[in-house]
Amino acid sequence: VLFKAKGSDAFITVSRHVKTFKESLAGVGTFLQKYSTQFIALGGVITGALTATIYQAAEAGDRLDDLSKSTGITATELSRLGYAAEQNGASLDQMANGLKVLYARMGDARSGLKEAQDAFNQLGISWQNLDGSLKSGSQIIPEIAEKIAQMTNETEQSALASELFGRRAGPDLLPMLQLGAEGIQSMADEADRLGITMDSVQAKTLG
């Protein structure tokens, strides 16, 4: 998370100070005193909004780091797809749980489990790359979304989403999947543009 001082070309990296903020409120006061003159904007000064933003960033990074560790899914992938899910009525946790189920289904398909293979075959997509490695969520979710978006029966859409992402997460992720590949890519790009996307180092630092 970066904040740019008004009238200056310097960028202040807030993540470097987050750990101090979380440990002591005195740290917040010290930081605000030190940098307050750099955050003057339109005659006003930064107030508690900055502190709130910092704590929100810390909480988001902490949650993302925890989910990445518990699911084995990269923070970058989680933050981008999680943003798309959140903009369409689901949550980061639901996206993480859905991805975890999806990767399990892909592994089952590669192992030859017919039920898992049928779900992907029904959509006409492959769960693996040409070299035999499993596709990443960022690769396969737009493919799944594009196929689901082309279906006209919402009951069938929901059934496939449940099969691939789990009965709990699947239906909640359906509105995101109905955006199709272009819609999901647009959401992921927006996450990058807004600075919401975090890699594992950033998530760990903020957490």
Side-chain angles (χ1 to χ4, degrees), residues 17 34 38 47 59 70 76-77 88 107 125 130-131 136 139 154 177 195:
H17 303 276
K34 184 176 180 180
Q38 296 184 18
T47 61
E59 290 174 2
S70 65
T76 300
E77 190 166 78
N88 290 276
I125 61 177
L130 293 177
D131 62 2
S136 68
Q139 285 179 289
E154 190 164 338
L177 297 171

Side-chain angles (χ1 to χ4, degrees), residues 34 67 72 114:
K34 184 176 180 180
L67 286 172
K114 187 177 184 303

Side-chain angles (χ1 to χ4, degrees), residues 131-143:
D131 62 2
S133 61
L134 293 180
K135 290 181 177 179
S136 68
S138 296
Q139 285 179 289
I140 200 167
I141 285 181
E143 294 179 19

Side-chain angles (χ1 to χ4, degrees), residues 80-164:
R80 298 181 91 229
L81 293 173
Y83 175 76
E86 288 175 340
Q87 298 307 301
N88 290 276
S91 68
L92 175 62
D93 285 51
Q94 288 169 318
M95 186 73 257
N97 291 332
L99 278 169
K100 190 173 182 179
V101 172
L102 177 62
Y103 282 139
R105 295 282 190 272
M106 292 164 66
D108 289 341
R110 183 169 63 178
S111 297
L113 187 64
K114 187 177 184 303
E115 182 181 356
Q117 291 179 345
D118 286 346
F120 293 102
N121 290 336
Q122 185 176 347
L123 291 175
I125 61 177
S126 176
W127 55 87
Q128 58 189 9
N129 297 302
L130 293 177
D131 62 2
S133 61
L134 293 180
K135 290 181 177 179
S136 68
S138 296
Q139 285 179 289
I140 200 167
I141 285 181
E143 294 179 19
I144 293 172
E146 189 64 20
K147 296 294 185 179
I148 284 181
Q150 293 171 5
M151 299 168 64
T152 57
N153 188 314
E154 190 164 338
T155 300
E156 292 180 2
Q157 289 179 325
S158 183
L160 270 172
S162 296
E163 177 62 31
L164 292 172

Side-chain angles (χ1 to χ4, degrees), residues 63-73 78 96-97 100:
R63 186 62 186 144
L64 193 61
D65 186 46
D66 288 343
L67 286 172
S68 180
K69 289 175 181 176
S70 65
T71 62
I73 301 164
L78 276 177
N97 291 332
K100 190 173 182 179

Side-chain angles (χ1 to χ4, degrees), residues 1 14 18-19 21-22 52-64 198 203 205-207:
V1 180
V14 174
V18 168
K19 187 174 181 181
F21 298 157
K22 292 170 69 177
T53 299
I54 293 166
Y55 276 114
Q56 288 171 1
E59 290 174 2
D62 194 31
R63 186 62 186 144
L64 193 61
M198 297 186 199
T205 300
L206 285 170

